[in-house]
Amino acid sequence: MTGPVTLAVALAAVPALAALVGFLLPQSSRRVAAVVAVASSALLPVLAIALFVILPGDGVERWVTLARFGELSATAGVRVDSTVAAVSIAVAVVAFLVQLYSTGYLLNGPHPDDRYAPYAAQVSLFTAAMMTVVVSNDLVTLLIGWEVMGLCSYLLIGHDRSLPEAPGAAVKAFLVTRVGDVGFALGVAVLGVAAGTFRIGGVIDAATSGRIGPGALTLACLLLLAGVAGKSAQFPLHTWLPDAMAGPTPVSALIHAATMVAAGVYVVARLFPLYALSPAALATLGISAAITMVLGACAALVQEDLKRVLAWSTVSQIAYMAGGLAVGGVNAGLFHLLSHAAFKALLFLAAGAVIVAVGSNLMSAMGGLRHGMPVTFWTMTAGLGALAGIPPFSGFFSKESVIGAAHVAAEGHSVSPSWVGWTVLVAGIVTAALTGAYATRLWLRTFFGPQHVATAAAGDPPWSMRAPLVVLAVPTVLLGLVALWRPVVDAVEQPGTAVEEHLSLDPLTTTIVLLVTLAGVLGAWQIWRRDPARDPAAVLGPVRPVFENAFYLDNVQDALVVRPALALARAVSTVDVRVIDGFVEATARAALRAGRTVMEIQARGLARQLTFVLTGALLIGAAAVVLSGVLT
């Protein structure tokens, strides 16, 4: 089965090679960089689809042992199954469309980006890192891809150096995700040492056979969740993601849809047999997901910046995926990951078209754009319908699958405790109502109501930006229907995850969620209808600042972590400078003073000593003369 293995390796190697070429190109070679980036990324969907087609039903796994350290072996390899192939297609399609969109957004616009060449190379490297995570069969190789994504996110978020907030946002994303990645690396080390191998299949076999003790397994799973919380922006390490909107909009689409934030959910799905053996880890994941989905939806409800609404929406939607995994719904969580990749990439790219046309991120500067931007309007409408979970859009089916899995777990028919199922279920229903409200608010304020004079001439973007919107609208509308078609379900579902789980819609929870979603949609519409020029979020009154600042958790982190860390750093610096350096410098000063004293003493006595020496020499000479005369 060298064919699937070769294709899997190529999925990571092709964008990595394109990145290398892009980095070697002069910064002025923007057109050549665009050809390299777009052509290489266009090859990825072809490779991913070919992999899906030729893949055998039970998948294929290949690895080589690089070295042995006693009982521990270091390996490198790939694992390809239906899940890997499906996620690879999503990453490949979004990466290609982002590269194509970027040529219009950054290269061919009224103000071409002078740093487009390194930007395109960084996007290619980002794609290669995510593909490495997807196809890797080894925890160390996976960790390498995981860390390279962190580096790329730092570079891309801070790409626009004209924005004063970009450097701070890039550093914040890097540092917050580093906090989680320390735990992730330690979790990888614990699993590798306990299992005697870093190969994912070997680690799972060691855990299911009992060779990894319950304590070590739970510790490793919790440490891995720290990295997942950082990469996937889950509570309490979620605060970096909204600030990451300082990066170019195509980067936001890539980070939020197919890379970075999806990586954490994907890794938990790959390692789910480990989590199925650790109820404590599943409970931790479920609590974090429940808090995050409600918190993110509340924050999205009041944001004025169009991209920040979508950013908080991503925080909330990723929590749906994490919640699905926490209740044992592996297939449901992965289904929502694929669905979300399509409609969230569509939403960000459509938002970019609106921002270019209007010249502002603020919804207060928008309104009435549906007539001048019909393609953007209809495609973004499809994306918002999927986000809100309106049938027949894809988000309806995937989100309902997650909530249905939570209902099954609440009834005690899953590997997770029933109270975790109830927690995720209630949070999911509440979030559905909030999602319907903020999606409707964004839609109405952007495309309806009074049109501003400055935006009267706004129109759809050029084909390089418009074509990705149309392409992404297709899976946004149809993916849910296709994914629930039985032959497709049988081909993609991941068996053997410690619980027999199938994608389906639960009639009771589906009815409840549809009703609360409709209530959110109609509530936002009714409030807006009274005064289209007024923000519907104004009715929240004193609660609005709380939601707008995401319950002030940034301030809490600043007070509990940042300020104490800075104070400790200042204290250590003071001790280092005044005590340690002071002692060393005082010792040096004392030695210098002693030397000067000796020198002064010696200098003052030198004349007298020379006089004595000279006198003695004269006396000896005179005595010698007298003695020689006497003897003569």
Side-chain angles (χ1 to χ4, degrees), residues 150-159 163-179 239-241 243-247 260 557 562 566:
L151 172 63
C152 292
S153 69
Y154 167 77
L155 296 172
L156 289 168
I157 292 169
H159 173 78
L163 292 177
E165 64 270 23
V171 171
K172 182 177 182 179
F174 187 79
L175 291 179
V176 173
T177 54
R178 286 318 89 197
V179 171
T239 53
W240 67 269
L241 193 60
D243 292 336
M245 294 303 95
M260 193 76 168
Q557 286 185 354
V562 178
L566 290 175

Side-chain angles (χ1 to χ4, degrees), residues 160-492:
D160 191 349
R161 297 175 182 177
S162 64
L163 292 177
E165 64 270 23
V171 171
K172 182 177 182 179
F174 187 79
L175 291 179
V176 173
T177 54
R178 286 318 89 197
V179 171
D181 287 353
V182 170
F184 192 87
L186 291 174
V188 167
V190 170
L191 287 176
V193 171
T197 178
F198 289 102
R199 188 171 56 85
I200 293 177
V203 171
I204 292 174
D205 290 342
T208 53
S209 64
R211 285 186 284 126
I212 301 179
L217 182 61
T218 296
L219 174 63
C221 288
L222 291 175
L223 288 170
L224 292 176
L225 285 184
V228 171
K231 274 290 189 292
S232 294
Q234 298 296 284
F235 176 85
L237 299 179
H238 63 281
T239 53
W240 67 269
L241 193 60
D243 292 336
M245 294 303 95
T249 300
V251 170
S252 301
L254 190 64
I255 291 176
H256 289 245
T259 62
M260 193 76 168
V261 295
V265 172
Y266 175 77
V267 167
V268 174
R270 284 288 303 273
L271 299 176
F272 188 78
L274 305 181
Y275 285 88
L277 298 172
S278 177
L282 285 179
T284 302
L285 180 63
I287 293 171
S288 174
I291 294 173
T292 308
M293 67 175 73
V294 176
L295 184 154
C298 289
L301 190 61
V302 297
Q303 300 298 317
E304 182 64 19
D305 187 310
L306 181 62
K307 287 178 65 177
R308 287 183 74 88
V309 174
L310 298 178
W312 280 113
S313 165
T314 298
V315 172
S316 183
Q317 294 299 309
I318 294 293
Y320 265 114
M321 304 172 204
L325 296 175
V327 297
V330 181
N331 295 318
L334 288 172
F335 182 18
H336 197 52
L337 185 153
L338 297 173
S339 168
H340 180 265
F343 71 72
K344 186 54 61 71
L346 170 59
L347 286 172
F348 267 109
L349 297 184
V354 170
I355 291 168
V356 168
V358 174
S360 172
N361 288 28
L362 302 179
M363 287 187 286
S364 58
M366 302 171 189
L369 295 175
R370 69 187 186 280
H371 299 299
M373 306 181 70
V375 175
T376 305
F377 167 67
W378 286 111
T379 53
M380 197 166 190
T381 298
L384 291 171
L387 171 63
I390 305 297
F393 300 108
S394 61
F396 162 74
F397 296 99
S398 60
K399 185 162 64 176
E400 294 301 328
S401 297
V402 169
I403 294 178
H407 185 211
V408 170
E411 293 180 334
H413 304 306
S414 179
V415 292
S416 62
S418 61
W419 65 266
V420 175
W422 280 112
T423 302
V424 173
L425 177 62
V426 172
I429 292 173
V430 171
T431 303
L434 296 172
T435 305
Y438 72 70
T440 303
R441 170 179 173 263
L442 185 153
W443 187 60
L444 293 171
R445 296 196 68 201
T446 303
F447 296 107
F448 293 84
Q451 188 173 35
H452 296 268
V453 176
T455 62
D460 279 319
W463 76 268
S464 59
M465 296 172 62
R466 189 166 63 246
L469 303 183
V470 177
V471 172
L472 287 168
V474 175
T476 296
V477 176
L478 300 178
L479 182 60
L481 297 171
V482 173
L484 287 181
W485 184 34
R486 196 69 244 169
V488 176
V489 172
D490 293 337
V492 176

